[in-house]
Short mmCIF file of all heavy atoms in Angstrom, two decimals:
data_model
loop_
_atom_site.label_atom_id
_atom_site.label_comp_id
_atom_site.label_asym_id
_atom_site.label_seq_id
_atom_site.Cartn_x
_atom_site.Cartn_y
_atom_site.Cartn_z
N GLY X 130 -28.50 -35.79 4.14
CA GLY X 130 -28.00 -35.97 2.78
C GLY X 130 -27.17 -37.22 2.63
O GLY X 130 -27.26 -37.93 1.63
N LEU X 131 -26.36 -37.51 3.65
CA LEU X 131 -25.51 -38.70 3.61
C LEU X 131 -26.36 -39.97 3.65
O LEU X 131 -26.10 -40.92 2.89
CB LEU X 131 -24.52 -38.68 4.77
CG LEU X 131 -23.53 -39.84 4.86
CD1 LEU X 131 -22.71 -39.97 3.58
CD2 LEU X 131 -22.60 -39.65 6.07
N VAL X 132 -27.37 -40.00 4.51
CA VAL X 132 -28.25 -41.18 4.59
C VAL X 132 -28.98 -41.39 3.27
O VAL X 132 -29.12 -42.52 2.79
CB VAL X 132 -29.24 -41.04 5.76
CG1 VAL X 132 -30.31 -42.13 5.69
CG2 VAL X 132 -28.51 -41.10 7.09
N ALA X 133 -29.42 -40.30 2.65
CA ALA X 133 -30.10 -40.43 1.35
C ALA X 133 -29.18 -41.02 0.29
O ALA X 133 -29.59 -41.87 -0.51
CB ALA X 133 -30.61 -39.06 0.90
N LEU X 134 -27.92 -40.58 0.28
CA LEU X 134 -26.96 -41.15 -0.67
C LEU X 134 -26.69 -42.62 -0.36
O LEU X 134 -26.54 -43.44 -1.28
CB LEU X 134 -25.66 -40.35 -0.65
CG LEU X 134 -25.71 -38.95 -1.24
CD1 LEU X 134 -24.38 -38.23 -1.05
CD2 LEU X 134 -26.08 -39.00 -2.72
N CYS X 135 -26.64 -42.96 0.91
CA CYS X 135 -26.43 -44.36 1.29
C CYS X 135 -27.60 -45.22 0.82
O CYS X 135 -27.41 -46.36 0.36
CB CYS X 135 -26.26 -44.49 2.81
SG CYS X 135 -24.70 -43.84 3.43
N ALA X 136 -28.80 -44.69 0.93
CA ALA X 136 -29.97 -45.44 0.45
C ALA X 136 -29.91 -45.69 -1.05
O ALA X 136 -30.33 -46.73 -1.54
CB ALA X 136 -31.24 -44.69 0.81
N ALA X 137 -29.33 -44.72 -1.77
CA ALA X 137 -29.25 -44.85 -3.23
C ALA X 137 -28.11 -45.75 -3.67
O ALA X 137 -28.23 -46.48 -4.65
CB ALA X 137 -29.10 -43.47 -3.86
N HIS X 138 -26.98 -45.73 -2.92
CA HIS X 138 -25.77 -46.41 -3.39
C HIS X 138 -25.33 -47.60 -2.55
O HIS X 138 -24.43 -48.34 -2.95
CB HIS X 138 -24.62 -45.39 -3.49
CG HIS X 138 -24.90 -44.29 -4.47
ND1 HIS X 138 -24.70 -44.42 -5.82
CD2 HIS X 138 -25.39 -43.03 -4.27
CE1 HIS X 138 -25.04 -43.30 -6.43
NE2 HIS X 138 -25.47 -42.44 -5.52
N ARG X 139 -25.92 -47.79 -1.37
CA ARG X 139 -25.67 -48.96 -0.53
C ARG X 139 -24.19 -49.20 -0.25
O ARG X 139 -23.66 -50.29 -0.51
CB ARG X 139 -26.29 -50.21 -1.16
CG ARG X 139 -27.77 -50.05 -1.51
CD ARG X 139 -28.62 -50.40 -0.34
NE ARG X 139 -30.01 -49.99 -0.54
CZ ARG X 139 -31.03 -50.43 0.19
NH1 ARG X 139 -30.78 -51.30 1.17
NH2 ARG X 139 -32.25 -50.01 -0.01
N PRO X 140 -23.48 -48.23 0.29
CA PRO X 140 -22.05 -48.45 0.60
C PRO X 140 -21.89 -49.35 1.82
O PRO X 140 -22.83 -49.54 2.61
CB PRO X 140 -21.55 -47.04 0.90
CG PRO X 140 -22.75 -46.35 1.48
CD PRO X 140 -23.93 -46.89 0.70
N ASP X 141 -20.68 -49.86 1.99
CA ASP X 141 -20.37 -50.65 3.19
C ASP X 141 -20.21 -49.75 4.41
O ASP X 141 -20.51 -50.16 5.54
CB ASP X 141 -19.07 -51.43 2.98
CG ASP X 141 -19.15 -52.36 1.78
OD1 ASP X 141 -20.21 -52.97 1.58
OD2 ASP X 141 -18.14 -52.45 1.05
N HIS X 142 -19.69 -48.53 4.19
CA HIS X 142 -19.38 -47.63 5.30
C HIS X 142 -19.88 -46.22 4.99
O HIS X 142 -19.82 -45.76 3.84
CB HIS X 142 -17.86 -47.55 5.53
CG HIS X 142 -17.22 -48.88 5.78
ND1 HIS X 142 -17.17 -49.46 7.02
CD2 HIS X 142 -16.60 -49.74 4.92
CE1 HIS X 142 -16.55 -50.63 6.93
NE2 HIS X 142 -16.19 -50.81 5.67
N ALA X 143 -20.35 -45.54 6.05
CA ALA X 143 -20.69 -44.12 5.95
C ALA X 143 -20.01 -43.41 7.11
O ALA X 143 -20.02 -43.91 8.24
CB ALA X 143 -22.20 -43.92 6.02
N VAL X 144 -19.43 -42.25 6.84
CA VAL X 144 -18.70 -41.53 7.90
C VAL X 144 -19.09 -40.06 7.88
O VAL X 144 -19.18 -39.44 6.81
CB VAL X 144 -17.17 -41.72 7.75
CG1 VAL X 144 -16.69 -41.29 6.37
CG2 VAL X 144 -16.41 -40.96 8.82
N ILE X 145 -19.36 -39.52 9.06
CA ILE X 145 -19.70 -38.11 9.22
C ILE X 145 -18.57 -37.46 10.01
O ILE X 145 -18.05 -38.04 10.98
CB ILE X 145 -21.06 -37.96 9.94
CG1 ILE X 145 -21.63 -36.55 9.74
CG2 ILE X 145 -21.01 -38.34 11.41
CD1 ILE X 145 -22.33 -36.36 8.43
N ALA X 146 -18.16 -36.27 9.60
CA ALA X 146 -16.97 -35.65 10.20
C ALA X 146 -17.17 -35.27 11.67
O ALA X 146 -16.26 -35.40 12.48
CB ALA X 146 -16.56 -34.42 9.39
N ASP X 147 -18.36 -34.80 12.02
CA ASP X 147 -18.62 -34.34 13.38
C ASP X 147 -18.95 -35.53 14.29
O ASP X 147 -19.98 -36.19 14.11
CB ASP X 147 -19.80 -33.36 13.36
CG ASP X 147 -20.04 -32.70 14.71
OD1 ASP X 147 -19.51 -33.20 15.73
OD2 ASP X 147 -20.76 -31.69 14.74
N PRO X 148 -18.10 -35.84 15.27
CA PRO X 148 -18.35 -36.99 16.14
C PRO X 148 -19.70 -36.92 16.86
O PRO X 148 -20.30 -37.95 17.17
CB PRO X 148 -17.19 -36.95 17.14
CG PRO X 148 -16.12 -36.17 16.45
CD PRO X 148 -16.84 -35.16 15.62
N ALA X 149 -20.18 -35.71 17.12
CA ALA X 149 -21.45 -35.55 17.83
C ALA X 149 -22.64 -36.05 17.01
O ALA X 149 -23.73 -36.24 17.56
CB ALA X 149 -21.65 -34.09 18.21
N LEU X 150 -22.43 -36.27 15.71
CA LEU X 150 -23.53 -36.69 14.84
C LEU X 150 -23.53 -38.20 14.58
O LEU X 150 -24.31 -38.69 13.77
CB LEU X 150 -23.46 -35.94 13.51
CG LEU X 150 -23.65 -34.42 13.62
CD1 LEU X 150 -23.44 -33.76 12.27
CD2 LEU X 150 -25.03 -34.09 14.17
N HIS X 151 -22.66 -38.95 15.28
CA HIS X 151 -22.60 -40.39 15.05
C HIS X 151 -23.95 -41.06 15.31
O HIS X 151 -24.42 -41.87 14.50
CB HIS X 151 -21.53 -41.03 15.94
CG HIS X 151 -21.45 -42.52 15.78
ND1 HIS X 151 -22.25 -43.40 16.49
CD2 HIS X 151 -20.67 -43.29 14.98
CE1 HIS X 151 -21.98 -44.63 16.13
NE2 HIS X 151 -21.01 -44.59 15.22
N ASP X 152 -24.57 -40.74 16.42
CA ASP X 152 -25.83 -41.40 16.76
C ASP X 152 -26.92 -41.06 15.75
O ASP X 152 -27.73 -41.93 15.39
CB ASP X 152 -26.27 -41.01 18.16
CG ASP X 152 -25.37 -41.60 19.24
OD1 ASP X 152 -24.56 -42.49 18.91
OD2 ASP X 152 -25.47 -41.17 20.40
N ALA X 153 -26.94 -39.82 15.29
CA ALA X 153 -27.94 -39.43 14.29
C ALA X 153 -27.73 -40.19 12.99
O ALA X 153 -28.70 -40.62 12.34
CB ALA X 153 -27.87 -37.93 14.05
N LEU X 154 -26.45 -40.36 12.60
CA LEU X 154 -26.15 -41.12 11.40
C LEU X 154 -26.57 -42.58 11.57
O LEU X 154 -27.21 -43.16 10.68
CB LEU X 154 -24.67 -41.03 11.07
CG LEU X 154 -24.16 -41.89 9.91
CD1 LEU X 154 -24.87 -41.52 8.61
CD2 LEU X 154 -22.65 -41.76 9.75
N ALA X 155 -26.21 -43.17 12.71
CA ALA X 155 -26.56 -44.57 12.95
C ALA X 155 -28.08 -44.76 12.93
O ALA X 155 -28.59 -45.73 12.35
CB ALA X 155 -25.99 -45.01 14.30
N GLN X 156 -28.82 -43.83 13.55
CA GLN X 156 -30.28 -43.94 13.57
C GLN X 156 -30.86 -43.79 12.16
O GLN X 156 -31.78 -44.51 11.77
CB GLN X 156 -30.88 -42.87 14.49
CG GLN X 156 -32.39 -43.01 14.69
CD GLN X 156 -32.77 -44.32 15.32
OE1 GLN X 156 -32.24 -44.68 16.38
NE2 GLN X 156 -33.66 -45.07 14.70
#
Side-chain angles (χ1 to χ4, degrees):
L131 181 57
V132 170
L134 290 175
C135 289
H138 299 278
R139 307 273 167 164
D141 302 321
H142 304 275
V144 56
I145 197 81
D147 187 344
L150 296 175
H151 178 274
D152 290 348
L154 174 60
Q156 186 61 53

